[in-house]
């Protein structure tokens, strides 16, 4: 706990929240950074005198939070260390759950929990039920944050907190730690163990409280990406967090855009013309899979574009099977990258494909999806959440295009379990390696979710890239499940997904077991799904 001039009563409450832990095996290491309020000195001396587990060092000069935190680190005798701000609170069972997690995950080296805030009247507000470890989201926000727990030896080997990163010193530390540990060694504890106090000088109220933290965060993320050898151009501060931008090779790879259609000229025309005229990525092959169009205007339109050399038309009059149509087209595609695109998508930003490709080309990435908007500029797709509505549902559905969403996640790059095939970019190699879309069991619905889960089984990670924005006139071409035949087919696809992916649909790592699966996402669940996390058995010895 680094300390500098907090409100005395808040400091006392923070110390008391440690003393009141039901888990008794702890050490509280406090470094005071030359506080000018004499009450602070008195509180700290009294705390140290009252309990041998509390150690205090009074620094001789004010060095800011990184230097002060390192002074506290010098006092640490325990193999594990947690970070506590001088005016925040631990839940009474916080260290018990940490101890249990350490016991249950002996390979782990980093732990983090969910958190909430303490409002002006002392009430608990704004709970953040986090996803499991997400390195991409960590590049945009410090999702590790509170309560963060580190292996002490690891932190010391890395040199502790770095001077010059004040305001984002913990973000920087986590990023550096992740460079030396395996992903499986970072464990998320889906419980609120930390209460972050909201006041004008705390970043709990927003980054404007400490504007220097923005620059430090950008510096930390830029350095991290450069050390990964990634072609980062810049890291921009946006309202929702941070946004890294990456450069693409000068001779970018060929991308084959595959668009199945049957008639539908009213949506197909703006789809193809906007794709051809507005997309700024040059190395593009457009394959239109004509699934038996018989409208003369549509046929003439496609013929004209094909004669101009703008598109290639693949004729496939077989019964509609979205999966089969795409699979067949992928075999004929010449690009190293495949972009599945609905015929009711409209390009509105020239750089949409460049944004998708810049993430798709990162190591370990499977499929990448875009932020799709309805024509009224509300969000149609912001990533897919497993289990919502029975199988899967769209995150942030119906929010305004500039809405932050749940803890800014509508606007930030992150890993997701699945993205919609209405706009999905993947390498041809990976598409074929998992057998493409399932034409046998999922001819229409959920084939994209199934496909993305097969990529995860292969060890890849799917990505939501909200900087790629397009319009989606959803279901204009194939319509809705409004006939007995369609409803029967849809029901069979639901049943197949629930049988095939049963173990995935209730524990999406990009969601949280405390959040609801029924109705709108990101609401508190009536019954948390905490398998593997006992409801009332934190470790006490």
């Amino acid at each position: 706990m680094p300390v500098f001039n907090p409100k005395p009563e808040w400091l006392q409450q923070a110390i008391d929240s440690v003393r009141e832990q039901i888990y008794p095996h702890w050490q509280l290491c406090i470094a005071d950074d030359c506080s000018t309020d004499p009450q602070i000195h008195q509180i700290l001396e009294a705390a140290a005198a009252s309990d041998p587990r509390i150690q205090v060092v009074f620094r001789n000069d004010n060095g800011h939070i990184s230097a002060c935190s390192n002074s506290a680190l010098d006092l640490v005798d325990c193999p594990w260390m947690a970070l506590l701000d001088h005016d925040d609170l631990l839940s009474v069972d916080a260290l018990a759950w940490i101890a249990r997690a350490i016991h249950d995950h002996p390979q782990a080296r980093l732990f983090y929990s969910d958190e909430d805030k303490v409002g002006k009247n002392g009430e608990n507000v704004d709970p953040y039920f986090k996803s499991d470890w997400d390195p991409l989201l960590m590049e945009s926000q410090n999702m590790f944050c509170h309560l963060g727990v580190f292996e002490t030896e690891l932190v010391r080997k890395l040199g502790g907190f770095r001077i010059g990163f004040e305001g984002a010193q913990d973000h920087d530390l986590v990023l550096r730690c992740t460079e030396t540990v395996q992903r499986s060694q970072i464990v998320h504890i889906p419980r609120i163990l930390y209460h972050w106090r909201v006041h004008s000088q705390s970043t709990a109220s927003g980054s404007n409280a400490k504007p220097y933290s923005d620059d430090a965060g950008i510096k930390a993320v830029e350095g991290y990406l450069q050390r990964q050898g990634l072609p980062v151009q810049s890291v921009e501060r946006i309202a929702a967090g941070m946004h890294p931008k990456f450069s693409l090779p000068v001779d970018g790879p060929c991308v084959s855009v595959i668009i199945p259609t049957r008639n539908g000229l009213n949506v197909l025309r703006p789809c193809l013309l906007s794709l051809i005229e507005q997309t700024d990525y040059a190395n593009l092959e457009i394959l239109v899979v004509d699934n038996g169009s018989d409208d003369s205007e549509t046929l003439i339109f496609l013929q004209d574009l094909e004669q101009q050399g703008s598109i290639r038309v693949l004729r496939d009059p077989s019964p509609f099977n979205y999966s089969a149509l795409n699979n067949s087209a992928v075999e004929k595609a010449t690009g190293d990258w495949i972009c599945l695109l609905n015929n009711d998508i409209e390009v509105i930003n020239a750089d949409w494909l460049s944004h998708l490709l810049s993430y798709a080309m990162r190591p370990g990435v499977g499929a990448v999806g875009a932020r799709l908007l309805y024509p009224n500029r509300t969000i149609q797709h912001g990533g897919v959440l497993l289990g919502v509505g029975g199988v899967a549902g769209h995150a942030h559905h119906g929010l305004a295009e500039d809405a932050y969403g749940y803890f800014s996640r509508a606007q930030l790059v992150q890993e997701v379990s699945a993205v919609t095939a209405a706009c999905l970019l993947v390498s041809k190699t990976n598409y074929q390696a998992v057998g493409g879309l399932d034409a046998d069991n999922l001819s229409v619905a959920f084939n994209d979710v199934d496909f993305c889960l097969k990529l995860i089984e292969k060890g890849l990670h799917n990505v939501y890239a909200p900087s790629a924005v397009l319009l989606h006139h959803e279901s204009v071409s194939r319509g809705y499940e409004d006939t007995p035949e369609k409803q029967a087919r849809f029901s069979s696809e639901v049943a197949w997904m629930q049988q095939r992916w049963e173990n995935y649909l209730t524990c999406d790592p990009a969601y949280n077991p405390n959040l609801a699966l029924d109705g709108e996402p990101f609401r508190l669940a009536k019954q948390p799904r905490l398998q593997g996390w006992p409801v009332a058995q934190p470790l006490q010895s």
Side-chain angles (χ1 to χ4, degrees):
M1 179 193 289
V3 171
F4 181 71
N5 282 343
K7 281 190 175 183
E9 61 269 30
W10 290 350
L11 174 61
Q12 187 63 62
Q13 290 172 17
I15 294 171
D16 289 344
S17 78
V18 178
R19 283 204 283 217
E20 293 166 1
Q21 290 295 302
I22 64 172
Y23 185 81
H25 307 296
W26 52 262
Q27 175 192 24
L28 177 56
C29 302
I30 302 174
D32 179 71
D33 204 22
C34 294
S35 293
T36 57
D37 183 346
Q39 292 185 73
I40 302 305
H41 200 283
Q42 296 167 9
I43 290 172
L44 296 181
E45 284 191 325
S50 70
D51 194 322
R53 295 173 296 180
I54 301 176
Q55 281 87 50
V56 180
V57 59
F58 294 95
R59 289 173 47 82
N60 295 321
D61 57 83
N62 179 269
H64 213 322
I65 192 167
S66 292
C68 187
S69 297
N70 285 332
S71 294
L73 175 60
D74 289 340
L75 299 173
V76 174
D77 294 325
C78 299
W80 296 91
M81 52 167 276
L83 306 183
L84 174 61
D85 288 348
H86 61 194
D87 48 13
D88 293 343
L89 305 169
L90 298 181
S91 68
V92 69
D93 56 356
L95 298 184
W97 284 114
I98 294 296
R100 184 178 185 98
I102 292 170
H103 176 273
D104 291 347
H105 301 273
Q107 85 291 349
R109 304 181 75 184
L110 299 170
F111 296 88
Y112 68 99
S113 76
D114 299 339
E115 62 190 71
D116 65 12
K117 297 184 176 68
V118 180
K120 294 179 180 179
N121 298 317
E123 72 280 16
N124 294 104
V125 297
D126 209 13
Y128 187 6
F129 293 105
K130 304 173 186 177
S131 66
D132 285 350
W133 176 244
D134 184 342
L136 294 186
L137 186 57
M138 191 68 187
E139 295 169 11
S140 299
Q141 65 171 216
N142 184 4
M143 54 89 68
F144 188 92
C145 204
H146 301 308
L147 177 64
V149 179
F150 305 74
E151 183 186 54
T152 305
E153 181 183 5
L154 172 62
V155 174
R156 285 186 167 142
K157 281 183 178 179
L158 293 174
F161 300 89
R162 290 204 288 181
I163 307 300
F165 289 84
E166 287 79 7
Q169 73 286 340
D170 51 348
H171 196 171
D172 173 64
L173 177 62
V174 175
L175 290 172
R176 288 186 290 129
C177 286
T178 63
E179 296 174 48
T180 64
V181 305
Q182 301 297 314
R183 185 185 182 110
S184 61
Q185 294 178 300
I186 307 171
V187 174
H188 169 221
I189 302 171
R191 294 180 179 276
I192 291 177
L193 304 183
Y194 193 100
H195 310 298
W196 198 4
R197 194 180 297 276
V198 178
H199 58 86
S200 59
Q201 281 76 50
S202 168
T203 51
S205 62
S207 62
N208 291 336
K210 296 179 181 177
Y212 59 85
S213 68
D214 284 352
D215 293 337
I218 288 172
K219 181 180 175 182
V221 172
E222 279 185 341
Y224 166 76
L225 294 171
Q226 290 165 356
R227 292 191 299 273
Q228 305 306 302
L230 296 170
V232 58
Q233 285 182 326
S234 63
V235 176
E236 297 180 350
R237 167 57 66 176
I238 59 175
M242 288 176 284
H243 174 58
K245 285 189 172 182
F246 301 92
S247 59
L248 292 172
V250 175
D251 53 343
C254 178
V255 178
S256 296
V257 181
I258 296 174
I259 306 172
T261 193
R262 185 179 188 278
N263 299 323
L265 185 60
N266 60 319
V267 290
L268 182 62
R269 185 193 300 275
C271 173
L272 289 175
L273 294 183
S274 65
L275 179 61
I276 295 166
E277 296 170 0
Q278 296 190 43
T279 303
D280 65 6
Y281 189 81
N283 198 358
L284 205 61
E285 174 190 49
I286 301 174
L287 303 178
V288 177
V289 185
D290 182 8
N291 188 214
S293 293
D294 54 12
D295 173 66
S296 59
E297 290 187 38
T298 301
L299 294 171
I300 292 171
F301 173 69
L302 293 176
Q303 182 180 36
D304 288 345
L305 288 181
E306 189 167 33
Q307 289 176 348
Q308 295 167 19
S310 300
I311 66 171
R312 183 152 60 102
V313 179
L314 306 177
R315 309 289 177 185
D316 188 340
S318 61
F320 178 72
N321 183 316
Y322 181 83
S323 297
L325 293 173
N326 280 288
N327 291 345
S328 176
V330 168
E331 295 299 323
K332 300 177 178 66
T334 61
D336 293 327
W337 293 86
I338 301 297
C339 179
L340 305 184
L341 198 71
N342 275 19
N343 68 344
D344 53 3
I345 293 289
E346 184 176 348
V347 173
I348 55 175
N349 290 344
D351 57 1
W352 69 277
L353 187 53
S354 298
H355 281 295
L356 292 181
L357 192 58
S358 70
Y359 280 95
M361 294 182 71
R362 289 183 61 164
V365 171
V368 182
R371 178 158 50 110
L372 303 182
L373 307 178
Y374 288 114
N376 67 358
R377 299 292 177 138
T378 59
I379 295 175
Q380 186 268 335
H381 171 264
V384 173
L385 298 172
L386 302 181
V388 172
V391 175
H394 288 187
H396 313 295
H397 181 266
L399 297 183
E401 65 174 316
D402 56 353
Y404 289 0
Y406 188 72
F407 284 87
S408 301
R409 286 181 55 181
Q411 304 293 335
L412 299 179
V413 176
Q414 65 208 258
E415 292 182 359
V416 290
S417 291
V419 294
T420 177
C423 179
L424 181 156
L425 183 66
V426 66
S427 74
K428 184 174 181 179
T429 298
N430 285 331
Y431 188 99
Q432 294 176 322
V434 299
L437 304 181
D438 188 340
D440 295 327
N441 300 294
L442 302 169
S443 62
V444 179
F446 303 123
N447 40 55
D448 44 10
V449 178
D450 173 75
F451 174 75
C452 288
L453 291 178
K454 291 189 292 185
L455 291 171
I456 289 176
E457 281 195 325
K458 186 178 170 59
L460 299 170
H461 302 283
N462 303 310
V463 176
Y464 165 58
S467 54
V469 185
L470 304 99
L471 290 186
H472 187 196
H473 306 267
E474 185 183 28
S475 296
V476 169
S477 53
R478 75 171 176 87
Y480 295 93
E481 316 295 357
D482 54 3
T483 67
E485 293 78 15
K486 288 182 178 181
Q487 290 167 355
R489 186 262 311 148
F490 181 75
S491 295
S492 71
E493 290 171 332
V494 167
W496 191 91
M497 285 292 294
Q498 290 175 336
Q499 182 273 326
R500 172 67 176 85
W501 300 108
E502 177 184 6
N503 294 333
Y504 284 76
L505 298 186
T506 57
C507 55
D508 187 342
Y511 201 41
N512 187 290
N514 294 288
L515 297 176
L517 295 179
D518 58 319
E520 287 299 311
F522 302 112
R523 296 177 301 105
L524 193 62
K526 294 179 181 178
Q527 181 62 50
R529 304 170 303 285
L530 291 168
Q531 301 93 333
W533 290 100
V535 174
Q537 298 178 37
L539 199 64
Q540 299 186 43
S541 62

